[in-house]
């Protein structure tokens, strides 16, 4: 049996990381189910009593989401429309009890290909803030998650916050997920979309990410580029073609075949784009 520590200050947590080997708990919603009935042999560093690691605040350049911010916090906080996709994903993260305990940092550090929060955070251009003894560093979420259950976090670091750069008030977003049932399910495929139209309804920024169809969620860069300049109106899904998802590498498992996932990803992209499109009567 290892040690257990639940510090109340960030500095104390970082000091512990510097001095020993710890398994970090940022909610425990992945750790405890995986543990099953096996005895806990590693030392646990529980961060949930550190108040400075939780909360959502506006900054001069965007938004700061503390690493221990829960999915319930995301759902209940008043945020711009561009965060609607993240809020929708938050409502898909297990039961309400899991949403109350599960955290942003825990979700991204677990680095599951099916992590619901990753695609919408990718479309928000999220940057990860990693604190270490004596300082911190930031890197894009796409660089932080390096593979299945793999991240760029060093042993003496913890995820202290996520930073979302400002996005125009006109920005819109959506999130769609397909599972074997409606709720409490690991996704077969999921898609997040953010578009930003100008005052004339022309798209000036487009971001589309697909999860559960590759070791790490991927942005569809070619499709994003092709949408620039298009009118953000219904019928936008007609711009999507099969080649837009050709770079995905889904697996075969009990939830679906790789071929099925490819078909689902393409369809979800189309539907997610329609959700953010301007109704035809408004577009005229």
């Amino acid at each position: 049996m290892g040690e257990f520590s639940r510090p109340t200050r960030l500095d104390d947590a970082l000091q512990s990381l510097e001095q020993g080997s710890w398994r970090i708990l940022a909610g425990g919603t992945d750790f405890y189910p995986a543990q099953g009935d096996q005895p806990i042999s590693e030392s646990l560093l529980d961060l949930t009593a550190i108040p400075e690691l939780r909360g959502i605040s506006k900054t001069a350049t965007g938004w700061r989401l503390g690493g221990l911010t829960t999915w319930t916090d995301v759902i209940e906080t008043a945020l711009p429309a561009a965060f609607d996709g993240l809020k929708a994903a938050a409502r898909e993260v297990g039961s309400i009890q899991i949403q109350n305990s599960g955290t942003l940092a825990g979700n991204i550090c677990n680095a599951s290909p099916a992590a619901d929060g990753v695609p919408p955070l990718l479309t928000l251009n999220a940057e990860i803030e990693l604190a270490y003894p004596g300082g911190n560093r930031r890197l894009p979420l796409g660089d932080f998650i390096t593979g299945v259950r793999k991240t760029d976090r060093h042993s003496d670091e913890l995820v202290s916050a996520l930073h979302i750069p400002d996005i125009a008030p006109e920005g819109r977003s959506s999130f769609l997920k397909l599972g074997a049932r409606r709720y409490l399910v690991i996704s077969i495929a999921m898609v997040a979309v953010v578009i930003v139209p100008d005052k004339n309804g022309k798209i000036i920024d487009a971001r589309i990410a697909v999860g559960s169809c590759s070791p790490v969620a991927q942005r569809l860069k070619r499709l994003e580029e092709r949408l620039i300049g298009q009118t953000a109106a219904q019928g936008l899904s007609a711009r999507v073609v099969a080649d837009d998802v050709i770079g995905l590498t889904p697996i075969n498992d009990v939830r679906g075949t790789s071929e099925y996932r490819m078909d689902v990803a393409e369809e979800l992209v189309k539907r997610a784009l329609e959700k953010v499109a301007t109704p035809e009567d408004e577009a005229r």
Side-chain angles (χ1 to χ4, degrees):
M1 177 66 181
E3 298 180 68
F4 178 82
S5 177
R6 193 168 186 256
T8 57
R9 299 191 317 134
L10 176 59
D11 287 345
D12 293 338
L14 294 176
Q15 185 177 19
S16 294
L17 289 176
E18 192 175 29
Q19 295 174 350
S21 176
W22 298 86
R23 175 70 177 268
I24 297 177
L25 291 184
T29 58
D30 289 305
F31 173 78
Y32 289 113
Q35 194 68 27
D37 58 1
Q38 297 299 311
I40 298 174
S41 58
E42 53 196 330
S43 295
L44 301 181
L45 182 65
D46 186 345
L47 304 179
T48 56
I50 304 176
E52 63 193 282
L53 293 181
R54 183 172 178 179
I56 301 174
S57 57
K58 186 71 174 70
T59 69
T61 58
W63 296 83
R64 182 186 188 277
L65 289 68
L68 291 186
T69 298
T70 68
W71 296 107
T72 298
D73 294 335
V74 172
I75 294 167
E76 295 182 347
T77 301
L79 292 165
F83 285 79
D84 287 352
L86 182 62
K87 285 176 175 282
R91 295 185 181 95
E92 298 278 359
V93 181
S95 64
I96 291 176
Q97 295 90 336
I98 295 298
Q99 294 165 18
N100 288 341
S101 299
T103 63
L104 298 178
N107 193 251
I108 62 174
C109 287
N110 192 47
S112 165
D116 291 327
V118 174
L121 287 169
L122 282 175
T123 62
L124 289 169
N125 287 340
E127 285 193 339
I128 309 306
E129 177 186 289
L130 291 154
Y132 55 84
N136 63 70
R137 66 186 177 105
R138 285 166 61 164
L139 72 165
L141 174 60
D143 294 336
F144 175 71
I145 301 177
T146 58
V148 178
R149 312 291 184 183
K150 296 179 180 179
T151 72
D152 193 48
R153 186 186 71 83
H154 302 159
S155 61
D156 64 344
E157 295 178 322
L158 57 84
V159 173
S160 49
L162 291 83
H163 294 270
I164 310 295
D166 256 333
I167 188 168
E170 296 78 16
R172 312 169 194 163
S173 65
S174 64
F175 173 84
L176 292 175
K177 168 180 172 176
L178 177 68
R181 58 178 187 267
R182 180 65 183 88
Y183 295 108
L184 307 180
V185 65
I186 297 173
S187 67
I188 295 171
M190 54 186 160
V191 169
V193 167
V194 167
I195 65 166
V196 181
D198 64 15
K199 62 181 181 180
N200 297 314
K202 300 294 186 181
I203 296 174
I204 57 174
D205 193 4
R207 310 168 193 172
I208 303 164
V210 178
S212 285
C213 291
S214 50
V216 179
Q218 291 188 32
R219 291 268 297 269
L220 303 183
K221 295 287 189 178
R222 288 186 298 177
L223 176 57
E224 292 174 356
E225 293 171 1
R226 204 166 64 251
L227 291 176
I228 302 300
Q230 302 298 322
T231 302
Q234 289 181 346
L236 196 61
S237 61
R239 303 288 177 178
V240 182
V241 297
D243 281 354
D244 289 323
V245 298
I246 201 70
L248 301 176
T249 55
I251 62 171
N252 295 300
D253 64 10
V254 295
R255 288 181 290 277
T257 65
S258 60
E259 292 83 3
Y260 178 63
R261 280 187 162 93
M262 292 289 279
D263 290 341
V264 166
E266 181 184 347
E267 181 61 27
L268 287 181
V269 170
K270 292 178 179 179
R271 295 186 185 188
L273 284 171
E274 289 300 320
K275 285 179 67 70
V276 296
T278 303
E280 289 182 359
D281 56 348
E282 292 183 24
R284 291 192 184 95

